[in-house]
């Protein structure tokens, strides 16, 4: 399985819960700055430049991180399943749309593309996100995953 999630804390928890390095932290604040319809490689370069200009890091580091992230994403076909782990907030939902759209445009879809989209968890009030959970609680979420439908893929491309 390849796991993709919203950031480092959740990625580390997923990595620990499933004892795997096949985890991608999708670090991009898509509700800030330009997000034109471009191939991922070009968009990643543009986003790195914007994020750097907005004070979110050095452009060379951001470009390197996005390049590594995109390279790992391109290995999706080596996995039987890709699981998207995202939350209910705008930050996550924009990343989720970007990823589903990217997968919809691939010639070879993953054998199985699934989603764990969480907005609450028993015992957490308020629930802020996956980063609040333990590795055991993350592991318990795996059976709740739902397949991404063809209509969801088509919708993501039109947004």
């Amino acid at each position: 399985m390849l796991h993709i999630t919203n950031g480092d804390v959740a990625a580390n928890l997923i990595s620990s819960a499933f004892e795997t390095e096949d985890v991608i932290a999708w670090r991009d604040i898509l509700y800030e700055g330009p997000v034109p319809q471009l191939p991922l490689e070009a968009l990643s370069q543009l986003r790195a430049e914007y994020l750097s200009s907005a004070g979110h890091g050095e452009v060379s580091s951001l470009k390197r991180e996005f390049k590594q992230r995109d390279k790992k994403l391109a290995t999706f076909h080596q996995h039987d399943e890709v699981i998207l782990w995202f939350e209910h907030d705008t930050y996550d939902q924009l990343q989720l749309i970007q990823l589903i759209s990217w997968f919809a445009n691939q010639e070879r879809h993953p054998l199985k593309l699934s989603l764990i989209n969480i907005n609450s968890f028993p015992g957490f009030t308020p629930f802020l996100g996956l980063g609040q959970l333990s590795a055991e609680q993350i592991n318990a979420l795996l059976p709740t995953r739902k397949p991404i439908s063809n209509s969801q893929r088509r919708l993501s491309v039109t947004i």
Side-chain angles (χ1 to χ4, degrees), residues 36-159:
Q37 191 169 7
L38 294 171
L40 185 59
E41 183 179 338
L43 180 60
S44 293
Q45 295 298 306
L46 176 70
R47 295 293 301 155
E49 291 166 7
Y50 168 76
L51 291 169
S52 178
S53 74
H56 294 290
E58 294 295 322
V59 70
S60 60
S61 295
L62 290 165
K63 284 182 177 184
R64 184 175 51 257
E65 289 172 17
F66 280 176
K67 186 174 184 174
Q68 290 169 347
R69 176 199 73 182
D70 297 349
K71 184 177 179 182
K72 194 166 193 173
L73 180 64
T75 70
F76 75 93
H77 62 276
Q78 298 172 8
H79 303 273
D80 291 336
E81 182 176 6
V82 175
I83 302 175
L84 307 174
W85 297 75
F86 288 92
E87 298 152 8
H88 60 286
D89 56 43
T90 303
Y91 177 84
D92 284 36
Q93 292 300 299
L94 290 172
Q95 292 176 346
L96 181 59
I97 291 167
Q98 181 184 30
L99 282 160
I100 295 172
S101 176
W102 184 84
F103 280 111
N105 286 305
Q106 299 309 298
E107 287 183 23
R108 182 175 173 187
H109 294 291
L111 189 58
K112 186 175 182 184
L113 182 62
S114 303
L115 172 63
I116 295 174
N117 188 240
I118 183 170
N119 66 2
S120 65
F121 195 90
F124 290 89
T125 305
F127 178 75
L128 303 174
L130 292 164
Q132 291 176 276
L133 305 179
S134 68
E136 293 77 24
Q137 291 166 323
I138 291 285
N139 200 309
L141 288 172
L142 189 63
T144 70
R145 68 191 186 275
K146 305 278 190 238
I148 299 291
S149 69
N150 287 332
S151 63
Q152 287 170 312
R153 290 176 200 237
R154 284 191 301 273
L155 178 62
S156 73
V157 174
T158 63
I159 294 177

Side-chain angles (χ1 to χ4, degrees), residues 11-20 85 134-140:
N12 291 336
L13 284 167
I14 292 166
S15 182
S16 176
F18 300 105
E19 299 178 2
T20 183
W85 297 75
S134 68
E136 293 77 24
Q137 291 166 323
I138 291 285
N139 200 309

